[in-house]
Amino acid sequence: MPADYKTPGVYIEEIPHLPPSIASVETAIPAFIGYTEKAQWKADKDLVMKPWRIESLLEYEQYFGYPSPENGSITVAFTASGSRTDVNGTIDETLRSKYLMHYSMQMFFANGGGPCWITSVGDYVSTGGLIVAQDLKNGLAEVEKVNEVTLLLFPDAINLSSATDYYDVYSTAIDQAFKLQDRFVVMDVYHDVNNGTVWDFDVNGNGGAGGLRNILSGETDHLKYAAAYFPRIYTGVDFNYAMPGDQTTNNDASILITGVADVNTLADLKSKNNAQYFQAKNAITNIQMLLPASPPIVGIYAAVDNSRGVWKAPANVNIENAIAPEYLVTNDEQQGLNVDTTAGKSVNVIRKFEGRGPAIVWGARTLAGNDNEWRYISVRRYFNMVEESTKNATEQFVFEPNDINTWVRVKSMINNYLTQQWKSGALMGASTKEAYFVHVGLGETMTEQDIFEGRMIVEIGLAVVRPAEFIILRFMHKMLAES
């Protein structure tokens, strides 16, 4: 509408000509939900059940504290072997602390992780050393309120008392991802240490995943928002055996010693033999810590997204600070894990390849592994990014006139954004026409009834690049041509 000019003179009007732009949302902002030593910003426990954004391990320790100290689960054995004495430390997995948040954060940041959200569902004392499924689900409900979150995981959940509880927690997370359509769930395969279950896969039989595939329910529309990884990994993270509430002093009395006369604990050894005391401490440092794979995996997601792009499959990458997978999986065993002919619940395997690395991510499928559209993690997460980014940018057009002028601006905005995505390598095709399409308009995506009812419908099609999961080299004999 022209300005109401009343005074003679020269007036300048700036007319917007370029369409508005779309800024890509962050793609690897995980939410870690679990138990912490404390949850304090200004007052005691004021961060319990309150998602809090951090960017470093130092910040985590400032607000949420340190690991739960080990008590009676570590043993150092002195064994005479001829003229030499071997000193070895071991951990009793059934007695070790079930709280893994701090250890998981170490692996997350070591593998390229950055900004993330922490939701403390309680401290180490309140539940008597147990993990409660309802606590984790309550924390998940709070994370639903945080729009920035794009990944969900529960490091402590691997120590739930049953597979049913474990998959119920993750099923709830998958439902949230399906509802919001802006986040992705990363999970492990449940391991029941207390019942002596090695894993819930019958790899010696048909390669089927017993617990995960039989207990975790959901249709393809839900399962495409999640991926599972197997097995757990041995890491170089050090066990914490500090005095409760005092991270500056080790609780030497909690470490058991065998093979030394009149010595039962590390505290006894310190007062009797200083050299053996430091040998024992070194043995404790060398104990390999078994941790779930999901925390370093989401760190790898962040690293790959930053270096290559979210459209690059987060696979064929070595896990930093990993020593070895808990189990060595063969090609034959992975066949039944990577491809589930019954329900499509693919499991991505962590494998060791001699000369290449101790723990390499060797799979890139969602739990909808038989679905042609949503088989790959990178495709699902890329669509999440484009959908959320376009949604945020299009909100400015709410209540604008639903006419051709608005349609042209919206279409130009999305076209410009997707062209940049194509140039970056996210979309296939020799031209933009092959890479994507954007449709909007009366008779194209909308009827007159849609316009009367206030609906502006935009259809977007993307030809996303897909990973080369199977590289096939065909060799044959070349026959000499006859003279």
Side-chain angles (χ1 to χ4, degrees), residues 194-206:
N194 293 325
N195 293 334
T197 302
V198 177
W199 52 14
D200 64 3
F201 294 101
D202 181 18
V203 294
N204 295 320
N206 57 20

Side-chain angles (χ1 to χ4, degrees), residues 78-93:
F78 287 78
T79 306
S81 178
S83 59
R84 186 182 76 251
T85 300
D86 295 328
V87 184
N88 296 301
T90 57
I91 183 82
D92 187 337
E93 291 290 342

Side-chain angles (χ1 to χ4, degrees), residues 7 33 38 53 116-117 129 149-150 206 209 253-254 263 270 282 287 321 353 368-369 381 419 421 428 442 451 466 475:
T7 305
I33 304 169
K38 63 178 183 179
R53 194 179 193 273
C116 60
W117 289 79
V149 169
T150 60
N206 57 20
S254 68
V263 170
K270 184 177 183 180
N282 185 61
I287 299 176
N321 203 25
F353 295 104
R381 294 182 62 235
T419 298
Q421 294 292 308
M428 299 180 67
L442 179 63
I451 295 177
R466 293 169 181 262
F475 292 84

Side-chain angles (χ1 to χ4, degrees), residues 3-14:
D4 188 10
Y5 304 120
K6 296 183 178 180
T7 305
V10 178
Y11 296 86
I12 296 176
E13 293 183 354
E14 293 184 348

